[in-house]
Amino acid sequence: MADLKQLARQIFHETLAAIDIPATMQRKLRREGTRIVCGEKTLDLKDFGKIRVVAMGKAAHAMVEGLILSLAPFVGFEGVVSAPSLPKKAVPGLKYFAAGHPVPNEESWKAAEAILALLKKCDEKTLVFFLLSGGGSAMVELPLDPKETLEDARQLHKTLVTCGANIDEINTVRKHVSAVKGGRLATAAAEATKVTLAVSDVPVGKESALASGPTLPDPTTIADVERVIKTYSLSEKLPPGLHRWIDDGKMPETPKGDNEAFRKSHFSLTLGMDDLLHPAHHAAESLGFVTCCDNSTDDWPVEKAAEALLRQLEDLRAIHHGHRVALVADGEVSSPVMGDGIGGRNSAFVLACVERIAGHRVTVLSAGTDGVDGNSSGAGALADGETLRRAREAGLDPQDFFRRSDAFTFFSKLGDNVLTGPTGNNLRDLRILLADR
């Protein structure tokens, strides 16, 4: 019988196969003649003179492919696609930008300009599909303050992600200083009918955090921005020009729910948390594991999350004595960068488990569904009860690698990285914890 590490890898890869974006979009965006059924909304393509597409994020290319398959043969559209890389095969009518992540680059800026120019020409006979996925915040960026430079925008992004603020607080600031976030793409095409399709890596109920909510009303306010700046002592860390712009009271409020632009705007979740947990749960159960799902540790510090999930796994094993058990968790743990090593939050989570599971018949896998973990070339890592022994035999100290944020290197030396390459998807991180009888 395969060992637990092999089974954990199998569950992860079966889950990736099940969250195929083009296939999912065809299921959720049904075409009936000239009519398109999208969730509770039905649109007739005959009512529109032109179709426009704006795609941004790590899953942009797969989402464009899914939209084309869903709309065929009605594929005569123009649009802009901003993704981490250029497509293998370009779609006629679309302009492509290889944008930056986790900080904007020049292509991110050009993509934003191209999108705003496209939306400016949209009228009441235009149907705009916005295809959003994780990473969109950096891949499309243009400041509201015309004096701000690309380097200013890059400094702002770096400052926000390293100041200790949570993602909601980071997005609060991003939305208020950007020309393309916090509902401003919706207002840029105010008269058009707008359909946003999302592959979400954010918690349910916080959809306006995805790509910083370019097409959704923003629930945050200028007062919230001021609070974040004060709480994290950001005044002196912001680009000087941006600091002056805010202090001079030039920062406008973001569009709210009563804005007319949202009257003809529709949002549909194409892939989200359930789409990730369900196939993982099914894959584990089909291999004979009594399986439970958990999403309670989202945004927890990595060591606290490791302790809590391993405790849950032991409780599950005690309840189902004599059975193999699996705990499947999603979400993103918090793992501050403490050194100049290689790795990300997924490999850091597994490293935090190594000493805790030593000598036990337990395996832990954590990996990003986008195939990328921090600054490494891996998606994540896995460990079992033998990992600590093997590490010590190789002269590796898990705590030393953890302190230096070098988890990828640690697992590379043991052959226990999870390597997929960029998947073109971007749901949440997936953690798979398995325990033998």
Side-chain angles (χ1 to χ4, degrees), residues 8-308:
R9 286 186 185 274
Q10 184 176 337
I11 292 166
F12 180 64
H13 287 288
E14 286 185 13
T15 303
L16 285 185
I19 54 175
D20 179 82
I21 289 175
T24 303
M25 288 184 69
Q26 283 183 278
R27 288 198 307 272
K28 296 194 175 181
L29 193 67
R30 302 191 317 278
R31 187 171 66 78
E32 299 171 356
T34 60
R35 296 190 307 163
I36 297 293
V37 181
C38 178
E40 298 177 359
K41 185 67 181 176
T42 300
L43 299 166
D44 197 326
L45 297 177
K46 289 190 298 185
D47 296 337
F48 302 99
K50 52 190 176 183
I51 298 173
R52 298 292 179 261
V53 177
V54 173
M56 64 177 80
K58 296 177 184 177
H61 296 316
M63 294 189 77
V64 167
E65 181 186 344
L67 182 67
I68 290 171
L69 291 170
S70 300
L71 296 186
F74 304 98
V75 291
F77 48 64
E78 296 175 21
V80 177
V81 182
S82 189
S85 60
L86 297 175
K88 293 176 183 175
K89 185 178 180 182
V91 175
L94 299 184
K95 293 179 181 177
Y96 291 91
F97 297 88
H101 185 270
V103 294
N105 63 6
E106 190 174 347
E107 291 286 284
S108 307
W109 191 288
K110 290 179 179 177
E113 291 177 330
I115 289 168
L116 290 173
L118 179 83
L119 298 180
K120 189 177 181 181
K121 299 175 184 176
C122 295
D123 56 23
E124 68 277 359
K125 297 292 281 183
T126 308
L127 172 60
V128 186
F129 285 99
F130 291 93
L131 311 179
L132 305 184
S133 56
S137 292
M139 292 181 206
V140 176
E141 183 60 294
L142 190 69
L144 273 172
D145 178 9
K147 295 180 182 177
E148 197 174 331
T149 65
L150 173 60
E151 194 47 50
D152 290 336
R154 289 172 60 84
Q155 183 185 332
L156 174 65
H157 275 253
K158 290 175 184 175
T159 298
L160 290 174
V161 299
T162 57
C163 73
N166 63 38
I167 190 63
D168 291 335
E169 293 168 322
I170 290 170
N171 280 332
T172 295
V173 179
R174 279 173 172 169
K175 291 175 180 180
H176 278 83
V177 301
S178 173
V180 292
K181 294 173 169 51
R184 290 198 168 102
L185 289 191
T187 60
E191 298 300 316
T193 296
K194 299 165 284 288
V195 174
T196 299
L197 304 175
V199 171
S200 177
D201 63 345
V202 302
V204 175
K206 294 189 176 182
E207 285 77 16
S208 69
L210 180 65
S212 299
T215 62
L216 292 175
D218 178 29
T220 69
T221 64
I222 289 175
D224 293 324
V225 176
E226 293 169 345
R227 178 185 54 77
V228 173
I229 290 174
K230 183 178 180 181
T231 300
Y232 298 98
S233 305
L234 295 178
S235 292
E236 302 308 315
K237 300 173 187 174
L238 296 176
L242 176 62
H243 187 199
R244 284 194 300 272
W245 184 73
I246 294 173
D247 276 0
D248 291 345
K250 294 180 179 178
M251 181 172 63
E253 190 53 275
T254 46
K256 307 305 177 192
D258 58 357
N259 191 297
E260 277 292 300
F262 299 115
R263 189 173 53 83
K264 297 166 71 176
S265 187
H266 314 283
F267 182 94
S268 179
L269 191 61
T270 302
L271 278 168
M273 181 180 70
D274 288 348
D275 297 289
L276 179 61
L277 289 180
H278 286 167
H281 185 280
H282 176 75
E285 287 213 323
S286 68
L287 291 171
F289 290 89
V290 176
T291 306
C292 181
C293 294
D294 175 273
N295 62 355
S296 65
T297 56
D298 191 41
D299 215 26
W300 284 24
V302 62
E303 291 181 283
K304 181 184 175 185
E307 193 172 308

Side-chain angles (χ1 to χ4, degrees), residues 345-380:
R345 58 180 177 255
N346 286 292
S347 51
F349 173 85
V350 180
L351 190 52
C353 293
V354 166
E355 294 192 50
R356 290 176 167 91
I357 64 174
H360 296 280
R361 296 170 74 179
V362 168
T363 285
V364 174
L365 180 150
S366 185
T369 54
D370 59 354
V372 179
D373 186 35
N375 64 351
S376 76
S377 59

